[in-house]
Every structure is written in structure tokens, then in C-alpha cells.
Amino acid sequence: MAFIKNLLLLSVIIPICLGKKSPNFVLILADDVGYGDFQCYGHATQERGAVDDLAAEGMRFTQWYAPDSLCSPSRAALLTGRYPIRSGIVGPNRVFWQNSRGGLPKSEETLAEALKRYNYTTGIVGKWHLGINEFVANDGNHLPHHHGFDYVGTLLSFSYHFRCDPTKFKAEERTEKCFLNKGSKLVQQPITSEDLTEKILNDSKSFIKLYSKKPFFLYMSMPQAHSALFASKNFRGNSKRGIYGDSINEMSWAIGKLIKLLRELHLDENTLVIFLSDHGPQAELCHHGGSAGPLRGGKASTWDGGLKVPAMAWWPGTIKPGSVYRGVLSSMDIFPTFLNLAGGETVTKLDGTSLTDVLTGTHDDAKDPAKHDVLFHYCSDQIMAVRIGPYKLHYYSQYQRDYEGDLCNNGNPYDDKLLYFNCSLSHYHDPPLIFDINRDPGEQFPLDPSKQQDLVERTASLVQKHRQTIIPVPSQLGSHDSNVQPCCNPPLCACNYQADEDGIELSKDEL
Ligand SMILES: *[C@@H]1O[C@H](CO)[C@@H](O)[C@H](O)[C@H]1NC(C)=O
Ligand SMILES: *[C@@H]1O[C@H](CO)[C@@H](O)[C@H](O)[C@H]1NC(C)=O
Ligand SMILES: *[C@@H]1O[C@H](CO)[C@@H](O)[C@H](O)[C@H]1NC(C)=O
């Protein structure tokens, strides 16, 4: 009898001791959206949208750094919590191409795999850009179901590339770079943008509805606002900013709908939503690219415009509405934060650090003034700059965008110029260029290096120490092969399957 009583008691105590149940996570990533692109970050003419609501109802971050200024390395670091050089996402091309043979190595534990250890159901919808095929066309060896994602919905395994633009390229010119998956299967080549956002939203909603009984992790990776820009008919021509603003408004609409669903399912108080961009805007696209606000440079550069991103966290009942956190943070912090919230795990072997105390408002600035005393900014495998305390030291810096000539004719891009991509085209600075970011966030006024000897030496020694922690691994970028070029319905490399049509089986679990 006593035994049964104890058992009953235990069954009551255990859930109480466990406290709040593990929260769900929704990680929303925007593509090439700049620090200055939202109204809540000071854009004067961008319409208010659901992203601004996230900030108003949650926490906004003013010094959140992307781990890299280009898609593939930044996304690798986001999903592994480590600098991209550690997983080999370095190389002269800096990003995966559609015919790359490499991918995120399977030996790397991803956030999805880590959360599965805590019985989370994991899903991805939208852009991946961490490798596609390895040996032959359509083997899909690098796709997300090999990296811990139970559910893979509508998937841009590559990107909504500028060559997807139907106003500039004919269908047969678009097929090479422009293809869409549902799970592991190619379903559209080239892509029709009109219902792309709605497909991503619908799949995200289906995932949440299907799996909300257990804790879940949804990675909703938006195509906006990467070039080619697009907006479907409900959004086209409505923004004061033109097509770029339309594109932001369409993305915000989808995010708003997802938040609405969380509320309807009464999941809002048990779901942490983090929104951020993968890196800065492509400045060379003039007003077809985003805004870095007051920051210098953009995508592909290690000026703060390439690295500082809009970021916010929403979790009603836990995060104080309208709060702002001004410390230096990194997208690599998401991995340890989610693990900590999921199971109380303290991860120390990563480059990121847990933000649980920041989110719950218990972080003590006096005791622990900086989550990151130092952050290293890379271009491929080269350390370009270091953020240290309030300072930033540039050993190398990229050329700045050229406003002259036909590059920005009438504000229109001449072409998708990629001036910053080539790391070896950067300027070398000896002594390093030093900026006080607290006083000069636009990196306009370099300090006198002769008065900063201590800082220069301290930083050099930290760089030295950091380098010693880098274990050489094979580069995943730069090996291209036409045999792995994705091709739907070979040899046509063209298709447009609607869901469940043409014998394509769209299973819920792409395991
Ligand atoms: C980068 O620029 C250098 C110098 O012009 C050139 O030799 C190299 O091929 C370029 N690299 C790439 C990947 O374009
Ligand atoms: C996950 O679920 C299994 C099976 O229900 C259970 O044995 C295990 O303890 C759970 N793990 C965690 C970390 O909750
Ligand atoms: C998205 O879901 C809605 C509601 O079920 C449906 O009407 C619409 O056709 C779907 N859109 C796409 C692109 O599948």
C-alpha cells in the first residue's frame, strides 16, 4: 500500500520537478535581409508587418552578428553552433553551387540532430543551401533528411537564385539554377514564384498541426529577399519601397500567419520563435538590394553591414514585450540556447553560448558584461576582422561598392555583381584598421593605431589562440561536377508537379 502511495506521489512530483515543459522552437531565417530593412530597425518607408510585431511583443537585438557574410557558411554555423571553418564550409567559391559535390559533413551534429536526443520532432521548410547531391544527379546525399530533419517540406535545396527571374531569363535558361523540392523529390524546374511563399507557409503550418503533441523544432527558411526578388499578386506594387518592400511584406505576411496558428493552437506561451537574417544585404543591387541602415558594406564583406543582422525573439509570457538587448551576440548562440531550454544541457564545446538568461531577463550585465568578448570574422578561411569588446580590428577589408558608372543605373542592378566575394581581392591593413563600434557603428573613423598598442597585441594573441583550436578538415566547397546537376524528369530537366499528381508520393515523413 505504502509502495503504491509512493508511486502515486512520485508520479505527481516528477512532472512538477521537471517544471516547465520543453518549449517548441520556430527558427525563421530571412535571406540577405539587412540590418536597416524593417520599420522596427528604423527604415523610414518600409511598411509595418508581422516582423515588427515580433519585436514589439518580444525582444529585439541590436548587435547580433551573423557567423559569416554569405549563405552557406552562415547557415552551416547556425545549424552547428560553430564557425564554418570547423565544418569545412570554406573555399574559393565560398558557397555551394547547384552542381557542388560537397555538403555539410554528416559527422557534424546539427541542431536538429541534437534536439532529437530530447525527443523533438524536427522539420525544415524553405531554403537549405548546404549541399544537394554527392555522386549522381538526384542522389540527394546532402539534403536535410540526412541531417536530423524528420519532416522536409517545400525545399529550396539551392536558392531562389537571380537566374530564376522570369522577366530576364527564358524557361530553358532558368532550369540550371532554379529548382524546387518537396522532401527529397524534385517537383518544379524552373520555379514559379507566384505561390512559393504560400507553399512554404502551408507546409510550415501542416508540420506544426501534425506534430504539436510532442515538442517540435521548425526551421522555416524564407527565400526573401534574395535576388531575384519576387512578390505574388497580393503584394506586388504595394510597397512605397517598390519590389524590395513588396518582398519583405510578403515574407512578413507568412510569418504573421504562422504566429496566428501558434495562438490558435494555444502554443504561443510554449513556443520560442527566433527571427533573424542570414547576413547583410547585397549592396551592389542598389534599390533591388536591402538596407544595412547606418552600417558600412553589405553581403560577402566583413564590414558590419555584411554581418550585423536584424534579429528578434518572441515567447509570450517569458520574454518581456518590447525589450531590447544591446550586447554582442551571434547566430551560433541559437544551438546552445535551444539545447539548454530543451533539456537543461550546458554545451561548452561550441563557439556559441546560451542566451537563456538574456531571453528570460535574468542576465546580469554587471556580473557578465559580454556574452562574446571576442568574435572572429572570416572570409572563407581567412580571418579578416575581430570584434573585441567595443572595438573592431580589420586585418583585411573588402573593397566598397562602386556607386559610379552603369553598376547602379537608375538604381537598377547592372547585373548581380559580386564584388565582395573574392577574399583575395581585399585590402591588407598593417597595422589593423581599428574602430570603436560603440561610438562609430558605421566604421567611418579609424582610431590612431599608435595609441592602441595594447589592444592590437591582445587581439593578435587571441587570434593566435583561436587559430590553434581550428582542426584542419576537408573543404566542402569548390568541387563541381555536371553529373550531380539536379534534373527533374530526365533528360528534360523540366517539370511542374502539383502535389500528389503524377505519381509523386508526398509523404509526411521524409526519413
Ligand atoms: C580572386 O581574385 C584573384 C586575383 O585577381 C584571382 O587570381 C582568383 O582567381 C579569384 N578567385 C576567384 C574564386 O574568382
Ligand atoms: C525520449 O523518449 C523515449 C521513449 O519514450 C524515452 O525513453 C526517453 O527517456 C526520452 N528522452 C528524453 C530526453 O526525454
Ligand atoms: C495553401 O493552403 C490553402 C488552405 O488549405 C489552400 O487553399 C491553398 O491552395 C494552398 N496553397 C498552395 C500553394 O498549396
Side-chain angles (χ1 to χ4, degrees):
M1 195 58 197
F3 171 72
I4 291 173
K5 244 178 156 173
N6 281 343
L7 253 188
L8 281 174
L9 206 62
L10 260 179
S11 65
V12 174
I13 286 170
I14 288 172
I16 293 171
C17 291
L18 287 176
K20 203 165 180 169
K21 91 180 210 262
S22 301
N24 307 306
F25 302 117
V26 177
L27 175 58
I28 308 173
L29 190 68
D31 199 358
D32 291 12
V33 170
Y35 186 79
D37 270 329
F38 295 107
Q39 199 179 92
C40 62
Y41 278 84
H43 198 284
T45 54
Q46 178 66 54
E47 291 75 14
R48 188 189 162 95
V51 171
D52 302 295
D53 296 340
L54 291 181
E57 295 164 20
M59 182 178 280
R60 190 171 66 86
F61 304 97
T62 62
Q63 296 204 77
W64 186 295
Y65 279 93
D68 198 278
S69 58
L70 282 179
C71 290
S72 300
S74 176
R75 285 153 195 263
L78 174 70
L79 291 182
T80 61
R82 308 200 299 156
Y83 286 108
I85 190 172
R86 299 196 196 277
S87 50
I89 314 302
V90 291
N93 302 112
R94 296 187 63 192
V95 293
F96 291 107
W97 292 0
Q98 85 287 348
N99 60 354
S100 291
R101 294 191 59 231
L104 185 65
K106 296 200 178 64
S107 54
E108 292 293 320
E109 186 182 51
T110 66
L111 178 54
E113 285 164 331
L115 288 171
K116 278 171 73 71
R117 290 198 264 113
Y118 293 97
N119 290 339
Y120 276 66
T121 308
T122 58
I124 176 173
V125 182
K127 177 167 169 175
W128 172 242
H129 208 179
L130 287 171
I132 307 171
N133 301 318
E134 186 174 9
F135 302 114
V136 293
N138 309 340
D139 66 35
N141 274 358
H142 296 299
L143 291 178
H145 49 278
H146 294 295
H147 291 280
F149 289 96
D150 301 320
Y151 171 90
V152 184
T154 293
L155 189 82
L156 280 159
S157 60
F158 180 49
S159 183
Y160 195 74
H161 192 267
F162 82 90
R163 290 186 75 89
C164 295
D165 188 343
T167 67
K168 292 195 186 126
F169 303 98
K170 296 202 236 12
E172 58 273 24
E173 295 172 311
R174 281 183 275 140
T175 58
E176 185 194 12
K177 306 250 184 208
C178 201
F179 42 87
L180 192 68
N181 278 40
K182 176 93 181 190
S184 52
K185 296 167 192 81
L186 279 166
V187 292
Q188 211 180 45
Q189 190 172 22
I191 300 170
T192 316
S193 67
E194 187 60 32
D195 57 3
L196 180 58
T197 308
E198 199 175 82
K199 280 179 178 160
I200 288 171
L201 172 63
N202 280 7
D203 289 355
S204 299
K205 286 166 69 174
S206 307
F207 171 79
I208 290 176
K209 283 184 198 158
L210 277 167
Y211 299 111
S212 62
K213 294 280 178 287
K214 277 206 314 185
F216 64 82
F217 163 48
L218 171 65
Y219 177 30
M220 186 191 194
S221 179
M222 305 303 292
Q224 289 93 358
H226 191 285
S227 161
L229 295 173
F230 68 91
S232 54
K233 65 175 183 310
N234 289 342
F235 298 92
R236 211 155 42 227
N238 288 342
S239 173
K240 278 200 179 73
R241 278 181 86 182
I243 181 69
Y244 191 90
D246 291 340
S247 171
I248 293 284
N249 288 339
E250 182 164 349
M251 174 179 72
S252 270
W253 165 80
I255 293 168
K257 292 285 184 195
L258 198 82
I259 296 291
K260 183 164 171 274
L261 176 71
L262 291 174
R263 284 208 170 97
E264 283 166 5
L265 298 176
H266 305 291
L267 294 171
D268 47 332
E269 296 205 348
N270 197 39
T271 303
L272 167 61
V273 177
I274 291 195
F275 170 88
L276 75 164
S277 183
D278 62 345
H279 49 68
Q282 192 169 352
E284 298 93 337
L285 298 185
C286 318
H287 63 52
H288 289 235
S291 163
L295 308 177
R296 184 170 177 176
K299 174 175 178 175
S301 84
T302 40
W303 297 105
D304 266 10
L307 294 167
K308 261 188 195 154
V309 290
M312 47 212 88
W314 181 92
W315 189 358
T318 301
I319 294 177
K320 193 167 158 244
S323 48
V324 178
Y325 184 78
R326 300 177 190 278
V328 169
L329 303 178
S330 162
S331 316
M332 296 184 289
D333 299 338
I334 288 175
F335 190 126
T337 303
F338 284 11
L339 240 58
N340 184 250
L341 291 167
E345 187 172 331
T346 309
V347 191
T348 52
K349 64 182 200 305
L350 304 177
D351 295 309
T353 179
S354 170
L355 307 182
T356 303
D357 56 348
V358 170
L359 299 177
T360 55
T362 56
H363 178 255
D364 185 344
D365 275 328
K367 272 200 201 135
D368 178 20
K371 282 277 166 191
H372 290 277
D373 293 322
V374 57
L375 273 179
F376 302 95
H377 303 312
Y378 281 85
C379 183
S380 182
D381 57 359
Q382 175 171 303
I383 293 177
M384 304 280 288
V386 179
R387 172 76 200 243
I388 173 165
Y391 302 104
K392 193 167 156 195
L393 283 73
H394 294 258
Y395 300 105
Y396 295 91
S397 66
Q398 280 94 344
Y399 286 86
Q400 278 216 276
R401 132 192 191 193
D402 177 8
Y403 290 89
E404 304 296 322
D406 52 7
L407 190 60
C408 277
N409 196 7
N410 304 322
N412 289 313
Y414 172 64
D415 197 352
D416 261 53
K417 282 270 188 277
L418 307 168
L419 294 182
Y420 292 150
F421 269 54
N422 191 329
C423 309
S424 62
L425 290 180
S426 44
H427 298 284
Y428 178 54
H429 304 289
D430 183 18
L433 270 183
I434 308 169
F435 297 97
D436 178 341
I437 300 294
N438 282 354
R439 290 163 193 252
D440 178 20
E443 298 171 276
Q444 297 292 323
F445 313 111
L447 304 180
D448 178 352
S450 69
K451 298 203 174 103
Q452 305 294 335
Q453 277 310 317
D454 282 359
L455 176 66
V456 171
E457 278 163 30
R458 193 154 54 90
T459 310
S461 104
L462 287 170
V463 166
Q464 190 63 28
K465 266 201 202 130
H466 169 72
R467 282 217 176 95
Q468 283 162 4
T469 70
I470 306 291
I471 300 161
V473 295
S475 160
Q476 296 295 323
L477 302 173
S479 165
H480 305 120
D481 184 345
S482 60
N483 291 321
V484 303
Q485 167 72 42
C487 180
C488 188
N489 209 3
L492 293 179
C493 304
C495 66
N496 187 9
Y497 297 124
Q498 296 306 314
D500 297 322
E501 226 181 65
D502 296 293
I504 295 243
E505 187 198 328
L506 302 175
S507 66
K508 280 173 274 176
D509 288 283
E510 293 285 346
L511 288 166

